[in-house]
Amino acid sequence: MPHSQQTPSHKNSQRAYAGGFADPVFQSQAVFRALMDAMARPGRIQTLDDSVDPPAPFSRAMGAVALTLLDADTAVWLTPAARASVVPSWISFHSGARVTEDKAAAQFAFVEAGQSLPPLSSFALGTQDYPDRSTTLVVELPALGGGAPLLARGPGIETTQTIAPSGLPPIFTTLWRDNRALFPRGVDLILTAGSDLLCLPRSTSLQTAEE
Amino acid sequence: MTPKEYAMDRPAQAGSVLDPVLRRRLMAVLARLPRQRLESILAQIAPDVEIHPVRGPETGLVMVRGRIGGGGSPFNLGEATVSRATVRLSTGEIGHGQLLGTDRQHARLAAILDALHQRGDHQGAIAAFITDSEAELAQAERRQAEETAATRVDFFTMVRGDD
Amino acid sequence: MYVAVKGGEAAIANAHRLLADRRRGDRDLPAITNDQVVAQLSLAVDRVMAEASLYDPALAALAIRQARGDMIEAIFILRAYRTTLPRFGSSLPVETGEMAIERRISATYKDLPGGQLLGPTFDYTHRLLDPALLEDGDVPEGTRRPASGEPAMRVSDILSGEGLIEGDGEAGGENGPGDITRTPMEFPMGRDVRLQALARGDEGFLLALAYSTQRGYARTHPFAGEIRIGSVEVEIETPELGFAAPLGRLKLTECQMINQFKGSASAPPQFTRGYGLVFGQSERKAMAMALVDRALRADEFGEDRTAPAQDEEFVISHCDNVQATGFVEHLKLPHYVDFQAELDLVRRMRREYEAARHPADDASEAAE
């Protein structure tokens, strides 16, 4: 079994038990609703409440998304730094999800602040028959505003939606265009910053303002 | 609402370094004994213990696996209902309870007893409880084994007639 | 074609009230309790658990009572209930070799280690109705005899010592047997997925298919190598504990069917096996499952697929009685509009038919 490899210190194991939903049914439903709205309206920022208090290096939004979407049937990929933290124990206790080191086997992947974004194509991209079998990436940024503006178009956006997340790699629009070209396959993206999040489903196209 | 908060930095206490074999034996009897037996041992050793819920008690499913051919690779046989609870004592110990069925109160009592077992001040009483319970469960098993043994076929070969 | 039809609310409410009344029956009789069903109709409870694919005797008994003893309705209710619960995880594979045995027989070895243990069986009863049961008299407890303590070795292990029987196969794949409750079925499927489907399959359907193999539709020359019934411990891997947590015991029936195999270009002649494992005490189902499992392995052994029991897509797609009853019983739902359309079509075809016949009638009249 993937667990049981490390016995966390007492302090760490105590931290693993803290910070979950106090009222899992209703609080996770509230987060789910916010996520659903964010996916349906790509680029619009949703702010979550503080119902989840995850251990470092996860932000509140990352933690809330994790405990809302993960369960015993999902495999989750974490960065090596997050894998070495108390986060795997915290996720395991509160959601039952197992951590995998295989990006292509992960239904969800989390990249915390300060970590580089792995190539999108290294994750599960789904199949033509089952495009839903792709990875949903959750990526923490310094802020969801203040960066170079990008124009988003696609389902859920009437004309265009401007987003300006800070901290994305300069090559991101190219990576996203490659992902978009795989449609209906491809990954979906949730960008988080603190308690905020916005979604970029694979159906959304992005252009830099100059293009 | 704020997240569940409690002392996260409480150091490991002397005596809370548990023998996993003994802890597993405790969990095995807590899962199998009737709930009333857990109520009575708790009333006996720590009737006023202060409990904080960490997770549950809640009921869900566990997918029970078998092995192809009895010893080959696993397959999913079907699910079973399971109830579980995790509690924290005011002194910091975290206890887990889990058992087949939908009796959430039973799972909670099991979690409390698992936590108390770690605290150290009831280890003697709980060790005796484990031994007594195992003997009781073994007795029921022996009875069934003996009833089954009485249905064992003793073959005897018919004597053939001489030519 | 379906159209929304409104109305019938009062009729439905009254029908359900009447159902509750008939379920309760004669009020002069005491209501049957859940505990009574669990204790005294335990094989009905076992069947509902097996085919609902959910082990919980108390809930299965409730479903049987709610369904007025209609087993497939009870299975449906319990199957529906399981979808309301979250899944915490998967157990470690249960070890049937370490079963606390209540019954264990072999039709291939008379003197096998651990012995032939008949247990609480219907075998060797005369199948005569017993009026004594009407009296509710005292029933003596089971006789006891000191247990030998001899481990009940699995029959497949006895033969495997000589290499005359196929082994259990690799014990690997711990991380992911397929799961029909999570992933849509695809054909051909792995044996793991097939066994999951058969374990929840309808006993009557599997019994009939198993019977068909014995009558010559995919003959596999079976012997009941071993049948064992008893309880096993269930454990779940628990990361926060660092060991697998015991959850208690549940009762299972296991059948090892041994089948002749004349060998192929790549394998010497040896015995092959079919496997059955079922929740509860359900020997007929476990035997039928093992026979069908073996028949479905035709391709593995290079056997011709000629019979229904060898057709994986046919067997697996139709063995689930909840799916089957859903589709058969949906015919009760209103089909007023599409029936009217069909009626119009038949009328028109009849007019055309009559019109086509008419000139012929004229011709025959003209000939007279």
Side-chain angles (χ1 to χ4, degrees):
Chain A
M1 290 303 235
H3 313 296
S4 66
Q5 69 280 55
Q6 88 273 32
T7 314
S9 74
H10 190 74
K11 181 176 167 179
N12 267 353
S13 68
Q14 289 272 334
R15 184 60 185 91
Y17 297 122
F21 288 119
D23 186 359
V25 173
F26 292 108
Q27 291 179 333
S28 69
Q29 280 178 9
V31 175
F32 187 85
R33 175 76 211 195
L35 264 170
M36 192 172 66
D37 289 343
M39 274 292 175
R41 298 276 178 263
R44 285 207 204 162
I45 294 171
Q46 293 276 340
T47 302
L48 304 179
D49 62 20
D50 58 356
S51 56
V52 168
D53 180 21
F58 265 32
S59 69
R60 278 188 191 274
M62 291 173 81
V65 170
L67 297 199
T68 300
L69 297 185
L70 304 183
D71 65 19
D73 289 319
T74 52
V76 56
W77 182 86
L78 301 174
T79 65
R83 241 181 353 252
S85 74
V86 70
V87 163
S89 300
W90 185 79
I91 285 178
S92 164
F93 179 76
H94 292 284
S95 77
R98 66 210 144 78
V99 173
T100 176
E101 295 185 18
D102 180 2
K103 296 190 193 76
Q107 277 94 45
F108 294 92
F110 290 81
V111 179
E112 69 274 15
Q115 298 287 323
S116 58
L117 180 65
L120 299 182
S121 59
S122 62
F123 293 97
L125 300 171
T127 65
Q128 211 64 23
D129 286 344
Y130 296 100
D132 54 305
R133 293 178 186 172
S134 65
T135 307
T136 297
L137 271 86
V138 182
V139 178
E140 178 81 5
L141 298 174
L144 297 184
L150 296 168
L151 287 181
R153 288 189 177 82
I157 302 170
E158 193 169 7
T159 53
T160 57
Q161 170 80 32
T162 304
I163 62 169
S166 342
L168 282 173
I171 197 177
F172 177 75
T173 47
T174 308
L175 299 176
W176 191 250
R177 191 175 304 126
D178 293 346
N179 184 63
R180 178 78 187 75
L182 298 169
F183 193 85
R185 299 162 65 231
V187 301
D188 302 307
L189 195 55
I190 301 172
L191 300 178
T192 59
S195 296
D196 292 345
L197 62 83
L198 71 78
C199 293
L200 294 176
R202 68 193 81 171
S203 56
T204 300
S205 65
L206 291 178
Q207 273 184 317
T208 54
E210 306 89 68
E211 281 182 288
Chain B
M1 219 176 294
T2 57
K4 285 168 280 192
E5 284 167 11
Y6 44 82
M8 296 169 216
D9 297 331
R10 172 168 292 279
Q13 294 190 336
S16 73
V17 178
L18 272 178
D19 173 5
V21 175
L22 192 63
R23 191 177 187 193
R24 193 191 176 288
R25 283 170 60 195
L26 172 65
M27 288 182 163
V29 299
L30 292 174
R32 289 181 65 193
L33 288 172
R35 189 225 293 172
Q36 292 72 23
R37 296 292 311 283
L38 279 60
E39 283 165 351
S40 62
I41 176 77
L42 184 61
Q44 189 189 317
I45 64 172
D48 302 319
V49 65
E50 196 184 325
I51 312 296
H52 307 272
V54 176
R55 181 178 68 189
E58 58 190 352
T59 295
L61 302 171
V62 163
M63 175 55 88
V64 179
R65 287 182 174 165
R67 289 187 183 280
I68 294 174
S73 57
F75 72 96
N76 289 312
L77 174 63
E79 287 161 317
T81 53
V82 168
S83 296
R84 69 179 182 186
T86 299
V87 300
R88 184 181 54 86
L89 304 183
S90 47
T91 40
E93 293 80 5
I94 302 247
H96 304 283
Q98 56 279 312
L99 36 94
L100 292 172
T102 54
D103 191 341
R104 286 180 284 278
Q105 179 60 12
H106 191 160
R108 185 172 167 274
L109 289 163
I112 295 168
L113 287 163
D114 177 51
L116 281 170
H117 183 222
Q118 296 166 55
R119 200 162 72 180
D121 49 346
H122 300 296
Q123 276 179 351
I126 292 177
F129 170 76
I130 294 172
T131 314
D132 295 349
S133 305
E134 284 175 342
E136 183 184 325
L137 293 167
Q139 197 176 354
E141 278 169 26
R142 187 160 55 246
R143 179 202 175 102
Q144 187 200 296
E146 288 175 357
E147 286 172 345
T148 304
T151 66
R152 179 170 179 156
V153 181
D154 297 316
F155 289 101
F156 42 91
T157 308
M158 307 298 282
V159 178
R160 296 185 187 198
D162 292 328
D163 283 350
Chain C
M1 183 176 120
Y2 303 95
V3 291
V5 176
K6 291 191 96 174
E9 290 92 339
I12 290 169
N14 285 337
H16 291 169
R17 183 172 164 154
L18 190 59
L19 168 66
D21 172 82
R22 295 296 194 267
R23 176 165 53 216
R24 176 60 183 86
D26 184 350
R27 307 295 201 274
D28 291 336
L29 295 172
I32 192 167
T33 68
N34 229 49
D35 290 344
Q36 286 172 334
V37 176
V38 171
Q40 296 173 38
L41 294 175
S42 59
L43 301 191
V45 168
D46 286 353
R47 179 168 181 191
V48 169
M49 294 194 301
E51 294 174 31
S53 207
L54 180 65
Y55 196 99
D56 188 314
L59 293 178
L62 177 61
I64 291 169
R65 290 172 58 213
Q66 187 177 334
R68 305 176 67 189
D70 178 334
M71 298 297 275
I72 292 182
E73 184 71 22
I75 289 159
F76 196 161
I77 293 169
L78 196 60
R79 184 81 72 80
Y81 173 78
R82 66 162 277 288
T83 65
T84 67
L85 296 176
R87 188 186 287 178
F88 295 153
S90 299
S91 81
L92 301 186
V94 293
E95 297 298 341
T96 53
E98 291 164 18
M99 187 179 269
I101 286 176
E102 282 182 50
R103 167 168 167 80
R104 184 282 195 114
I105 55 159
S106 169
T108 53
Y109 284 97
K110 180 166 66 77
D111 298 307
L112 75 176
Q116 304 270 1
L117 304 164
L118 299 183
T121 182
F122 292 113
D123 295 351
Y124 316 109
T125 64
H126 295 106
R127 265 78 183 214
L128 297 174
L129 272 177
D130 182 4
L133 275 177
L134 298 172
E135 304 300 324
D136 192 21
D138 282 344
V139 177
E141 291 184 352
T143 314
R144 295 207 225 168
R145 191 170 91 170
S148 67
E150 189 183 4
M153 188 179 180
R154 293 175 359 155
V155 166
S156 49
D157 293 338
I158 301 173
L159 267 178
S160 68
E162 285 184 77
L164 292 178
I165 190 166
E166 66 160 328
D168 282 330
E170 288 296 307
E174 309 287 334
N175 280 329
D179 186 351
I180 57 172
T181 70
R182 292 293 187 268
T183 314
M185 289 196 285
E186 289 177 50
F187 301 100
M189 52 180 40
R191 193 173 171 203
D192 53 344
V193 179
R194 216 160 57 198
L195 288 172
Q196 183 185 11
L198 294 175
R200 56 151 67 178
D202 182 80
E203 180 173 320
F205 181 76
L206 296 181
L207 178 67
L209 282 171
Y211 180 43
S212 75
T213 69
Q214 292 179 281
R215 291 193 64 256
Y217 295 89
R219 195 181 290 281
T220 55
H221 306 279
F223 295 95
E226 182 179 348
I227 294 161
R228 57 170 66 197
I229 302 174
S231 65
V232 296
E233 185 163 63
V234 186
E235 301 170 290
I236 181 170
E237 191 72 53
T238 310
E240 52 268 25
L241 292 178
F243 58 86
L247 298 174
R249 303 183 74 89
L250 47 75
K251 192 186 280 195
L252 299 175
T253 302
E254 181 185 55
C255 174
Q256 302 271 4
M257 208 56 89
I258 296 177
N259 308 76
Q260 219 182 71
F261 174 55
K262 63 180 188 301
S264 67
S266 58
Q270 62 173 349
F271 290 107
T272 57
R273 293 156 58 193
Y275 187 66
L277 186 65
V278 184
F279 280 155
Q281 176 173 344
S282 194
E283 178 168 300
R284 185 186 306 113
K285 164 77 178 282
M287 293 177 76
M289 177 175 170
L291 287 169
V292 174
D293 171 48
R294 175 60 187 81
L296 288 172
R297 299 179 66 201
D299 286 353
E300 267 182 73
F301 300 116
E303 296 163 343
D304 290 337
R305 287 210 284 156
T306 54
Q310 295 169 306
D311 184 333
E312 181 180 82
E313 186 159 357
F314 176 79
V315 173
I316 301 299
S317 301
H318 300 115
C319 70
D320 187 320
N321 57 27
V322 177
Q323 283 175 14
T325 201
F327 206 55
V328 169
E329 292 201 58
H330 105 281
L331 293 173
K332 295 182 292 191
L333 297 174
H335 286 67
Y336 307 136
V337 174
D338 50 347
F339 184 71
Q340 285 301 321
E342 298 254 331
L343 195 57
D344 286 347
L345 181 65
V346 170
R347 282 186 179 129
R348 197 175 70 233
M349 285 172 5
R350 179 62 78 87
R351 274 197 306 274
E352 288 164 7
Y353 172 81
E354 298 294 349
R357 270 185 51 160
H358 204 60
D361 289 348
D362 289 349
S364 65
E365 277 166 26
E368 278 173 13

